[in-house]
Amino acid sequence: MSNRRKFLRSSIFSSFGLLMSRKLQAGAPYVTMTGSPIVISTWDAGVAANAGAWKILGNNGRALDAVEAGVRVTEDSINCCVGLGANPDRDGFVTLDACIMDEKGNCGSVGFLERIKHPISVARRVMEKTPHVMLVGSGAQQFAVAEGFPLEEQKLSDDAKKAYEQWLKKSEYKPVINIENTKPKGHGPSAPAYLSNGELNHDTIGMVAMDAAGDLSGSCTTSGMGFKMRGRLGDSPIIGAGLFVDNEVGACTATGQGEDVIRICGSHTVVELMRQGMTPEQACKAAVERIIRIKGEKAKEIQVAFLALNKKGETGAFAIQKGFSYALKSNREEKLYTAKSWYL
Ligand code: SD4
């Protein structure tokens, strides 16, 4: 065979190979399991949130509507940790972050939002009613009010008030974690934040879901780290960090110390690793390992967890520290799982 013919032959085969691998990367390995809705969300509060989402998913509704309705349950809950009753910043004000993303790559986000009960719904309005992705601070609040969201009085819950008063005694601004305990004593610049019933007060809920049509969406809403610096944003309102959805591949949400999630574009990283063929758990673990590599010994002091769902309806999670729980609801099961972790 002449050299020219050899060259043509090999370049035809290599272009074919490239084409095939592009096609595979575009999602070919993932078979859409239509008709099998599923929702997963972070921490124990995810059980109630999933039940809220299921009212929509279980009735052939859209994943986007489900993930908004689901986390609104948590934002509504006075005893929790995510909405207006949550831990304040170090100046005593509750500031909220949230984001939402649908199967078409549409996304919306709000950050540093005060006195609005449902930041997730404001994030959805940003997505649907503005040409932007993100609104923050007084601008986000102004938009929310213009959209008809009531401006609430700030009133700390009894638990948040107690925790804040306790924190003020030392005003210590550094990650606190008790790794000997299955219940980490917080995972950020917070003092331990236990509810009066003794349960750990988590300040974020992230949720990802697939609907009966096989479409994915996700939501994430938080008061952020308790006793954070005023003006601080974490990963939760940042598309690609606290949440990412790619309808060809899968979806991921993150919880824990936002600074370290942002550092590796955490949720986007997990989705891209799933695109390359990893299972959700493998992808979450690989993302955690990146943080461990960057942080070295300091990783012992922080908690970060990822929770992911792929297009086949497979789920998985991985955390730095033990004790990360996530809730799953599908037609077959309703369960609270504990994720594997780097430190045992
Ligand atoms: C943040 N990632 O603001 C959030 C905190 C969190 O459970 O997830 N807490 O950094």
Side-chain angles (χ1 to χ4, degrees):
M1 204 187 299
S2 74
N3 279 350
R4 187 180 141 73
R5 274 180 69 194
K6 259 193 217 153
F7 169 74
L8 278 177
R9 218 183 121 123
S10 72
S11 57
I12 286 168
F13 279 119
S14 58
S15 325
F16 180 69
L18 199 70
L19 210 77
M20 282 309 287
S21 70
R22 286 236 173 93
K23 241 183 147 179
L24 288 176
Q25 279 177 6
Y30 301 108
V31 183
T32 305
M33 289 219 332
T34 48
S36 298
I38 181 166
V39 56
I40 44 175
S41 46
T42 57
W43 305 113
D44 298 15
V47 175
N50 285 355
W54 199 256
K55 288 185 187 152
I56 292 165
L57 286 177
N59 283 305
N60 281 338
R62 189 178 168 202
L64 178 70
D65 296 326
V67 296
E68 180 189 3
V71 302
R72 277 176 66 107
V73 171
T74 325
E75 287 177 342
D76 258 332
S77 152
I78 283 291
N79 286 328
C80 194
C81 39
V82 164
L84 287 171
N87 283 336
D89 65 16
R90 51 173 34 185
D91 293 1
F93 300 101
V94 176
T95 70
L96 304 172
D97 304 333
C99 74
I100 193 160
M101 190 163 187
D102 76 7
E103 77 280 7
K104 298 182 186 115
N106 297 314
C107 46
S109 150
V110 287
F112 194 49
L113 179 62
E114 292 177 278
R115 297 177 53 193
I116 300 288
K117 198 170 186 183
H118 289 298
I120 196 62
S121 298
V122 186
R124 181 163 178 181
R125 298 280 174 95
V126 172
M127 171 173 108
E128 291 178 340
K129 294 203 159 179
T130 80
H132 308 301
V133 166
M134 196 166 197
L135 289 180
V136 300
S138 58
Q141 190 189 67
Q142 204 180 321
F143 170 72
V145 171
E147 283 294 310
F149 291 84
L151 201 54
E152 314 279 345
E153 280 314 308
Q154 175 176 295
K155 197 173 166 288
L156 294 185
S157 67
D158 290 346
D159 282 319
K161 215 164 154 190
K162 247 191 262 162
Y164 181 52
E165 279 160 11
Q166 188 65 24
W167 179 81
L168 279 175
K169 286 184 190 158
K170 280 194 177 167
S171 300
E172 206 174 14
Y173 190 63
K174 71 182 190 41
V176 180
I177 197 157
N178 177 3
I179 58 153
E180 300 304 321
N181 198 319
T182 45
K183 281 188 170 183
K185 286 186 179 170
H187 40 270
S190 345
Y194 287 99
L195 297 172
S196 44
N197 64 6
E199 299 218 330
L200 185 62
N201 183 5
H202 289 293
D203 37 39
T204 300
I205 182 155
M207 172 180 280
V208 291
M210 181 162 69
D211 59 29
D215 285 327
L216 300 167
S217 286
S219 59
C220 187
T221 179
T222 188
S223 57
M225 293 297 178
F227 325 125
K228 60 196 173 186
M229 277 180 76
R230 186 143 176 84
R232 177 260 188 197
L233 291 184
D235 59 315
S236 305
I238 299 179
I239 297 295
L243 176 73
F244 194 68
V245 177
D246 182 323
N247 207 41
E248 288 183 340
V249 176
C252 176
T253 188
T255 183
Q257 186 143 301
E259 284 73 5
D260 294 305
V261 178
I262 295 171
R263 232 180 277 294
I264 64 151
C265 295
S267 292
H268 180 262
T269 293
V270 170
V271 170
E272 290 309 304
L273 292 169
M274 291 196 291
R275 192 194 304 279
Q276 289 167 22
M278 287 191 187
T279 65
E281 187 183 304
Q282 286 166 347
C284 292
K285 184 172 181 222
V288 161
E289 283 168 354
R290 275 191 204 190
I291 297 175
I292 305 276
R293 273 202 300 280
I294 293 169
K295 300 292 284 187
E297 279 294 291
K298 286 193 185 143
K300 288 189 178 147
E301 293 164 10
I302 58 163
Q303 173 65 306
V304 168
F306 295 105
L307 176 62
L309 166 69
N310 70 14
K311 194 71 177 172
K312 290 193 249 182
E314 294 168 339
T315 61
F318 205 84
I320 297 181
Q321 310 292 342
K322 62 186 175 180
F324 170 56
S325 59
Y326 65 95
L328 183 154
K329 172 109 183 84
S330 71
N331 279 325
R332 277 172 302 161
E333 61 175 323
E334 181 167 15
K335 210 169 158 183
L336 192 63
Y337 285 93
T338 303
K340 290 185 192 153
S341 56
W342 181 261
Y343 294 108
L344 302 171

